[in-house]
């Protein structure tokens, strides 16, 4: 199930990247996170119930007994709510002067951190984010006046992530 989900996300991403010319000026503004997809989870704050069901289905598919106990179901529901809250409070703002501010935390047990740094377009679909002594490259999968979809760590399949944002300013 995980491999099928990852394959589907990859195919959709490829279609989005190759089928869309990105208007780089649309990046400026404040973006609020609403979805997160990793190899281990898929949560969309617009539909937490669907996210819970998808995670339950994945757990059942990976279970030897192909069943899900009440304890496991409650843990998944708890995780979806906690991760949903973290996603809902996360944002990134790209400024015209080449700076950015992000407030992001998706990992369970960790607190969100405010990060400030600089950014620049690295290619037609990649942005370089620099802060302190580190630089990260993120791929812009989709950018419209209302939606931003990014991916990171694509060279590390176990750490790949996709985040969806909605413009709030």
């Amino acid at each position: 199930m995980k491999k099928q989900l990852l394959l589907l996300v990859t195919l959709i991403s490829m279609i989005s990247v190759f089928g869309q010319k990105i208007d780089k000026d649309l990046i400026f503004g404040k973006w609020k996170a609403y979805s997160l997809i990793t190899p281990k989870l898929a949560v969309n704050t617009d539909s937490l119930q669907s996210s819970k069901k998808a995670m339950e289905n994945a757990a059942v598919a990976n279970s030897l007994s192909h069943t899900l106990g009440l304890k496991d179901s409650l843990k998944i529901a708890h995780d979806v709510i906690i991760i949903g809250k973290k996603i809902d409070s996360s944002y990134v703002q790209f400024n015209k002067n080449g700076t950015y501010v992000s407030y992001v935390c998706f990992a369970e047990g960790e607190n969100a951190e405010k990060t400030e740094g600089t950014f620049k377009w690295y290619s037609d679909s990649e942005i370089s984010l620099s802060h302190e002594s580190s630089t990260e490259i993120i791929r812009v999968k989709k950018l419209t006046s209302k939606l931003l979809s990014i991916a990171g760590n694509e060279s590390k399949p176990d750490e790949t992530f996709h985040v969806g944002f909605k413009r709030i300013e």
Side-chain angles (χ1 to χ4, degrees), residues 51-115:
S51 298
K52 177 182 173 281
K53 187 66 178 162
M55 288 178 66
E56 286 176 340
N57 290 342
V60 168
N62 292 327
S63 168
L64 292 176
S65 65
H66 297 291
T67 61
L68 190 64
L70 179 61
K71 184 178 176 181
D72 293 329
S73 183
L74 291 173
K75 168 102 171 80
I76 289 171
H78 174 265
D79 291 350
V80 167
I81 290 169
I82 297 299
I83 294 167
K85 286 180 180 179
K86 288 180 182 250
I87 292 169
D88 201 43
S89 66
S90 298
Y91 72 86
V92 63
Q93 179 171 339
F94 294 100
N95 303 309
K96 290 185 178 183
N97 66 359
T99 62
Y100 78 93
V101 177
S102 68
Y103 183 79
V104 178
C105 179
F106 300 126
E108 188 173 346
E110 293 182 11
N111 293 321
E113 292 183 16
K114 184 176 181 180
T115 303

Side-chain angles (χ1 to χ4, degrees), residues 10 25-26 31 38 50 53 65 74 78 92 95 100 105 111 121 129 140 162:
T10 302
D25 288 338
L26 291 175
W31 301 87
T38 72
S50 295
K53 187 66 178 162
S65 65
L74 291 173
H78 174 265
V92 63
N95 303 309
Y100 78 93
C105 179
N111 293 321
W121 284 95
L129 302 175
V140 176
H162 297 262

Side-chain angles (χ1 to χ4, degrees), residues 6-162:
L6 190 56
L7 179 61
L8 178 62
V9 168
T10 302
L11 289 173
I12 291 171
S13 299
M14 288 174 58
I15 291 168
S16 296
V17 168
F18 294 121
Q20 173 190 0
K21 178 72 174 161
I22 294 176
D23 180 353
K24 295 177 181 179
D25 288 338
L26 291 175
I27 196 77
F28 302 122
K30 191 170 186 178
W31 301 87
K32 185 178 187 316
Y34 75 93
S35 70
L36 172 66
I37 299 171
T38 72
K40 296 181 181 177
L41 63 94
V43 177
N44 184 323
T45 59
D46 290 342
S47 179
L48 289 178
Q49 186 62 30
S50 295
S51 298
K52 177 182 173 281
K53 187 66 178 162
M55 288 178 66
E56 286 176 340
N57 290 342
V60 168
N62 292 327
S63 168
L64 292 176
S65 65
H66 297 291
T67 61
L68 190 64
L70 179 61
K71 184 178 176 181
D72 293 329
S73 183
L74 291 173
K75 168 102 171 80
I76 289 171
H78 174 265
D79 291 350
V80 167
I81 290 169
I82 297 299
I83 294 167
K85 286 180 180 179
K86 288 180 182 250
I87 292 169
D88 201 43
S89 66
S90 298
Y91 72 86
V92 63
Q93 179 171 339
F94 294 100
N95 303 309
K96 290 185 178 183
N97 66 359
T99 62
Y100 78 93
V101 177
S102 68
Y103 183 79
V104 178
C105 179
F106 300 126
E108 188 173 346
E110 293 182 11
N111 293 321
E113 292 183 16
K114 184 176 181 180
T115 303
E116 298 181 55
T118 60
F119 78 95
K120 66 180 179 178
W121 284 95
Y122 182 75
S123 71
D124 286 342
S125 63
E126 295 176 314
I127 294 176
S128 169
L129 302 175
S130 300
H131 72 315
E132 296 175 2
S133 62
S134 67
T135 299
E136 180 179 2
I137 304 295
I138 59 170
R139 182 176 303 278
V140 176
K141 298 292 190 174
K142 182 175 188 175
L143 177 58
T144 68
S145 62
K146 296 180 182 180
L147 296 174
L148 168 63
S149 177
I150 64 168
N153 290 340
E154 292 181 307
S155 63
K156 302 175 185 173
D158 291 345
E159 298 176 22
T160 299
F161 64 87
H162 297 262

